[in-house]
């Protein structure tokens, strides 16, 4: 449904222009993630939690962060990314980029879902993608909690706008993923 919701009313000639603009914006943001991302500050704490845990699923049922937070989904993500990359930074940068770009795409879908024109929805998604404040936060690996929570929250709201029980059930499941990512998502 997403291609129809986002691209259904774009004339064929304009689709090429939109695709080129999207590719250029994604390339610009991807370059930021590839070039400017490195482990800093809290990243080392998260890495230590991930590296010392033999089973990341335990974070769902017991305290794995010294009583500070309940964020089992980011713990699972960090555990997987550290093992995939064997200590390298690139899996974290790639995950951050994909989560950020996915959120931008969901901003477009949300705009369309609430009745904004295609042009306004695309501009909103593009601004989300390239805005310096969001990008700077997304470049910080420890902000993966926020990236996961944002992606899951936007997806939950987009699904909630659909008019069927299946989409509503998906919205509840995505909201649960958001809750497992960051405590502040309880606002959802």
């Amino acid at each position: 449904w997403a291609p129809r919701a986002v691209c259904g009313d774009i004339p064929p000639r304009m689709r090429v222009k939109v695709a080129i603009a999207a590719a250029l914006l994604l390339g610009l943001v991807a370059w930021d993630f590839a070039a400017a991302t490195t482990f800093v500050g809290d990243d080392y704490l998260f890495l230590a939690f991930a590296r010392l845990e033999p089973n990341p699923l335990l974070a769902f049922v017991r305290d794995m962060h010294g009583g500070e937070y309940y964020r089992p989904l980011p713990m699972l993500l960090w555990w997987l990314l550290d093992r995939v990359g064997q200590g390298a930074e690139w899996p974290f940068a790639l995950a951050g980029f994909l989560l950020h770009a996915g959120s931008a795409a969901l901003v477009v879908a949300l705009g369309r879902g609430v009745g904004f024109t295609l042009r306004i929805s695309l501009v909103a998604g593009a601004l989300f993608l390239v805005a310096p404040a969001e990008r700077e936060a997304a470049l910080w690996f420890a902000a993966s909690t926020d990236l996961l929570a944002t992606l899951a929250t936007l997806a939950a709201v987009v699904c909630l706008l659909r008019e069927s029980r299946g989409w509503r059930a998906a919205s509840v499941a995505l909201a649960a993923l958001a809750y497992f990512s960051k405590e502040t998502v309880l606002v959802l």
Side-chain angles (χ1 to χ4, degrees):
W1 68 272
R4 283 192 315 270
V6 174
C7 300
D9 57 349
I10 300 177
R13 295 179 87 186
M14 188 177 167
R15 287 183 190 184
V16 173
K17 293 177 185 176
V18 169
I20 291 170
L24 289 172
L25 286 176
L26 282 171
L28 168 72
V29 174
W31 176 256
D32 266 1
F33 279 85
T37 311
T38 186
F39 292 119
V40 295
D42 288 351
D43 297 339
Y44 291 106
L45 180 64
F46 279 43
L47 274 174
F49 288 142
R51 288 178 177 163
L52 294 173
E53 185 53 49
N55 182 354
L57 297 177
L58 291 177
F60 284 90
V61 294
R62 75 173 196 217
D63 177 26
M64 304 303 294
H65 291 99
E68 290 182 70
Y69 309 112
Y70 181 69
R71 299 176 180 172
L73 196 57
M75 171 70 134
L76 176 62
L77 178 66
W78 276 69
W79 189 89
L80 289 170
L81 293 175
D82 185 57
R83 273 135 183 97
V84 166
Q86 299 176 348
E89 298 166 355
W90 71 264
F92 295 88
L94 179 61
F97 171 70
L98 292 174
L99 290 168
H100 183 64
S103 293
L106 285 168
V107 166
V108 175
L110 182 59
R112 296 296 286 156
V114 297
F116 292 157
T117 66
L118 175 63
R119 183 170 289 165
I120 290 173
S121 298
L122 288 171
V123 168
L127 288 174
F128 183 93
L129 184 69
V130 300
E134 284 78 13
R135 230 176 40 230
E136 183 177 338
L139 291 171
W140 185 30
F141 296 142
S144 61
T145 57
D146 299 292
L147 293 171
L148 284 166
T150 300
L151 183 81
T153 298
L154 287 169
V157 174
V158 168
C159 289
L160 187 61
L161 294 173
R162 306 292 294 171
E163 301 272 333
S164 73
R165 288 183 188 206
W167 285 109
R168 303 264 168 127
S171 177
V172 170
L174 288 161
L177 292 177
Y179 300 145
F180 287 136
S181 298
K182 185 127 185 194
E183 307 80 17
T184 53
V185 176
L186 289 176
V187 171
L188 173 63

